[in-house]
Amino acid sequence: MAGRGRILTYAAAAAAGIGVPLTRRIRQGLAAGLRLRLDGATRAMLAGRYEEPVQMALAERLRPGDGFVDVGANVGFFALLAGRAVGPDGWVLAVEPVPANAARIRANAALNRLPRVTVVEAAAGAVDGAGELELARHNGGGALSSAPVPPDACGRITVPVVTVDTLLAGSRLPPPTLVKIDVEGSEAEALNGMRGTIARHHPAILFEVDAPTREDAERRFAELAAMLAAQGYGVDTLPDAYPAGDWTVLHGLAVVSATGGEGGR
């Protein structure tokens, strides 16, 4: 399997070098039928097995006509899955600060004929402005300088920072049904930047935390759960997406409780 993965990587790099990006159709799982460019895609994505509990949560929450905000969209795997689920009457905002990844999302959305997937090339934060983004060799590992430095850091760039509240206020879109947050240590800042959205619309919130140890990951998870509980949410822990990994990744799904206001599905 490792040899096959290297072959795919080399083939994608060679094709990109001559301006002909390779693509592959996902053949199984909830994402079956979608196509991805090979550059930036992982083997788990191409196999349809990428973070399956998160895929299940999206499938259970999103319906035709819904709205979805993907904060930290990487190469667009979940944005594509959501774009197909919400259909032509729904909408998806894919928020991604790494320029190469933002370009991949645009290409993947066009490849799958999903015009309702819109890319916002920026980081999500607590206030609008600009920030320093630590790049990582792992495509989805870039982090704002306010978060822990990625273990595979490989450079730094300045990027726009925007709040989810600002994005939605300026878009004239209907309220979001679901917001996904995967921002490598800046989760609290992203949540603070959507206080207005939470107060007005109570979207379901799907979030990820990761850390080198389970103790650290559980502490960060508990901090976010407490923030959300203060705003009327109950938080469930999703099944482990990486049970055998040497880096702890936890996912939570927050929904406004019956006593906290109108919740999602």
Side-chain angles (χ1 to χ4, degrees), residues 150-175:
D152 56 346
C154 62
R156 175 183 282 205
I157 59 173
T158 301
V159 298
V161 177
V162 65
T163 68
V164 172
D165 284 346
T166 296
L167 284 177
L168 295 178
S171 68
R172 299 184 180 179
L173 292 168

Side-chain angles (χ1 to χ4, degrees), residues 170-213:
S171 68
R172 299 184 180 179
L173 292 168
T177 302
L178 177 64
V179 178
K180 171 184 152 287
I181 300 174
D182 178 1
V183 288
E184 308 301 319
S186 299
E187 297 82 15
E189 289 91 333
L191 283 174
N192 282 329
M194 57 180 288
R195 286 183 177 274
T197 300
I198 288 172
R200 287 188 296 272
H201 306 305
H202 318 296
I205 299 172
L206 177 59
F207 65 90
E208 176 184 298
V209 298
D210 65 289
T213 68

Side-chain angles (χ1 to χ4, degrees), residues 2-242:
R4 185 180 181 187
R6 283 195 293 271
I7 291 170
L8 288 174
T9 300
Y10 297 151
I18 60 173
V20 185
L22 294 178
T23 68
R24 172 179 283 190
R25 188 179 301 278
I26 299 171
R27 300 193 180 279
Q28 63 183 24
L30 294 172
L34 292 172
R35 296 192 71 90
L36 285 176
R37 285 175 46 150
L38 292 188
D39 57 314
T42 67
R43 281 180 292 166
M45 290 178 185
L46 296 170
R49 297 194 304 269
Y50 181 63
E51 296 187 353
E52 289 176 296
V54 179
Q55 294 188 53
M56 288 293 298
L58 263 66
E60 291 169 359
R61 289 271 154 193
L62 294 175
R63 300 288 182 272
D66 282 347
F68 174 65
V69 184
D70 191 357
V71 179
N74 197 340
V75 299
F77 181 91
F78 292 118
L80 299 179
L81 191 62
R84 187 168 66 179
V86 303
D89 295 325
W91 58 269
V92 174
L93 289 182
V95 185
E96 173 55 48
V98 178
N101 284 347
R104 288 166 179 142
I105 302 169
R106 294 188 187 97
N108 284 327
L111 185 64
N112 290 278
R113 299 180 181 178
L114 294 172
R116 296 293 284 166
V117 175
T118 301
V119 179
V120 178
E121 194 170 322
V127 295
D128 299 328
E132 295 298 304
L133 185 76
E134 299 282 354
L135 299 174
R137 290 184 176 84
H138 166 56
N139 277 334
L144 286 172
S145 58
S146 57
V149 176
D152 56 346
C154 62
R156 175 183 282 205
I157 59 173
T158 301
V159 298
V161 177
V162 65
T163 68
V164 172
D165 284 346
T166 296
L167 284 177
L168 295 178
S171 68
R172 299 184 180 179
L173 292 168
T177 302
L178 177 64
V179 178
K180 171 184 152 287
I181 300 174
D182 178 1
V183 288
E184 308 301 319
S186 299
E187 297 82 15
E189 289 91 333
L191 283 174
N192 282 329
M194 57 180 288
R195 286 183 177 274
T197 300
I198 288 172
R200 287 188 296 272
H201 306 305
H202 318 296
I205 299 172
L206 177 59
F207 65 90
E208 176 184 298
V209 298
D210 65 289
T213 68
R214 189 162 195 93
E215 181 181 7
D216 285 345
E218 289 178 346
R219 174 184 54 78
R220 288 175 51 195
F221 189 100
E223 290 170 353
L224 292 177
M227 284 183 65
L228 289 161
Q231 299 177 76
Y233 281 80
V235 178
D236 289 327
T237 305
L238 299 187
D240 277 0
Y242 302 96

